[in-house]
Amino acid sequence: MSCITQKNGVPINEDQTFDYDNRLDIVTIPNDTYHLGYMQPNEKTIKLYLNREPRFYSWIAVDNCYWRNQQTKLEMHMKYDEFPGGRYSTKQDDFYWSGIAIKKLVHPESLNEHAVRMVRYPNPIIRLADLYLMYAEAYNEYYGPDAEAYRYLNEVRKRAGLPDVETVWSDGTIVKNINKHQTQEGLREIIQAERLIELSFEGHRYFDLCRWKRAGEFFVSSVKGWNARSGRTYEDFYQVTELQARTWETPKNYLFPIPLDDINKNPSLVQNPGW
């Protein structure tokens, strides 16, 4: 949740312009230029879904958003007995269980309404944004924060339509922790949040969290979503619902088990802790 950012590129729990405590309030989608083409104007949503940064609307689908494909602009509806996106009597299992869908890896020329046209395309092993963020992270760890670290972080943010780190994090009217980017620890958090957003759904998150030794923060809470199984009204749908329990054992889960075949071949091998 803390990695969701406002359109100014600041996490919602660190943005004093965002009403964080009332983020789940049901509100009307404004008919304005910022949400034009992303969300269906004059329909209902929650405050959490308004004024997000562009990557939010480009990469995930939520109730009453738009999803463009090869031929049409779909008006997505995720509540029970709604189409497309919701669960209904003849579609009891094939629906978005969390009430949220991923657009990011769906080719825009696919026909996603009935899956009758699936466009396949090469998946990059590594992206330039990944290299920039790795460089910024490594530079900050070795030298600390300065213009060189900001430069590559800002290249990623600029592409996403966000202001530079130095600009927004020095603005006391926006951020709660002013000049957070000027400390190594603060910039580390900013870079990590940027990686979790920019590389979301691309297979990096698990390994990044393990590398940062932060898996125990993230993987001990259950997977949650909305009440997409039975929520017909906005009030019933927007109920935070546990979908899957998770546990994380430290240090066991930070290490993979050594295969038994390898241990049998070399008795000098010592199994990793917990396995």
Side-chain angles (χ1 to χ4, degrees), residues 101-112:
I102 300 172
K103 297 179 186 176
K104 188 176 189 180
L105 302 179
V106 179
H107 195 284
E109 293 185 9
S110 293
L111 255 178
N112 58 348

Side-chain angles (χ1 to χ4, degrees), residues 35 58 66 102 205 210 273:
H35 298 93
S58 298
Y66 290 119
I102 300 172
R205 182 173 182 265
C210 287

Side-chain angles (χ1 to χ4, degrees), residues 68-71 106-112 117-119:
R68 288 177 171 79
N69 61 26
Q70 194 240 0
Q71 294 180 338
V106 179
H107 195 284
E109 293 185 9
S110 293
L111 255 178
N112 58 348
R117 175 186 166 93
M118 303 296 290
V119 178

Side-chain angles (χ1 to χ4, degrees), residues 88-149:
Y88 47 91
S89 58
T90 58
K91 190 181 176 185
Q92 290 290 299
D93 296 316
D94 184 14
F95 68 101
Y96 300 117
W97 284 58
S98 65
I100 302 169
I102 300 172
K103 297 179 186 176
K104 188 176 189 180
L105 302 179
V106 179
H107 195 284
E109 293 185 9
S110 293
L111 255 178
N112 58 348
E113 185 172 359
H114 299 289
V116 295
R117 175 186 166 93
M118 303 296 290
V119 178
R120 301 183 183 277
Y121 60 95
N123 184 52
I125 296 175
I126 192 167
R127 294 203 288 118
L128 184 60
D130 187 10
L131 293 175
Y132 282 169
L133 291 169
M134 282 193 289
Y135 182 90
E137 181 181 347
Y139 188 95
N140 181 56
E141 292 302 320
Y142 192 81
Y143 295 105
D146 66 18
E148 182 73 359

Side-chain angles (χ1 to χ4, degrees), residues 171-261:
D171 190 337
T173 66
I174 297 176
V175 296
K176 297 177 181 178
N177 186 1
I178 191 169
N179 292 328
K180 177 178 179 177
H181 66 292
Q182 293 182 2
T183 68
Q184 185 181 55
E185 295 77 12
L187 186 59
R188 180 185 297 131
E189 288 184 16
I190 293 171
I191 293 171
Q192 290 180 1
E194 197 67 42
R195 279 191 68 86
L196 292 175
I197 295 170
E198 174 65 27
L199 303 175
S200 57
F201 314 121
E202 296 182 34
H204 293 271
R205 182 173 182 265
Y206 173 83
F207 298 100
D208 279 342
L209 291 174
C210 287
R211 178 166 60 85
W212 299 330
K213 298 298 183 289
R214 296 185 64 190
E217 298 176 41
F218 288 80
F219 297 147
V220 293
S221 60
S222 59
V223 177
K224 297 181 176 67
W226 305 121
N227 179 25
R229 291 191 62 85
S230 60
R232 295 175 182 269
T233 67
Y234 292 108
E235 290 75 14
D236 289 339
F237 177 80
Y238 284 117
Q239 295 294 322
V240 178
T241 304
E242 182 178 293
L243 301 175
Q244 183 184 68
R246 295 189 299 184
T247 59
W248 183 269
E249 297 180 45
T250 299
K252 174 182 176 180
N253 292 117
Y254 279 112
L255 303 169
F256 286 113
I258 298 174
L260 182 59
D261 285 349

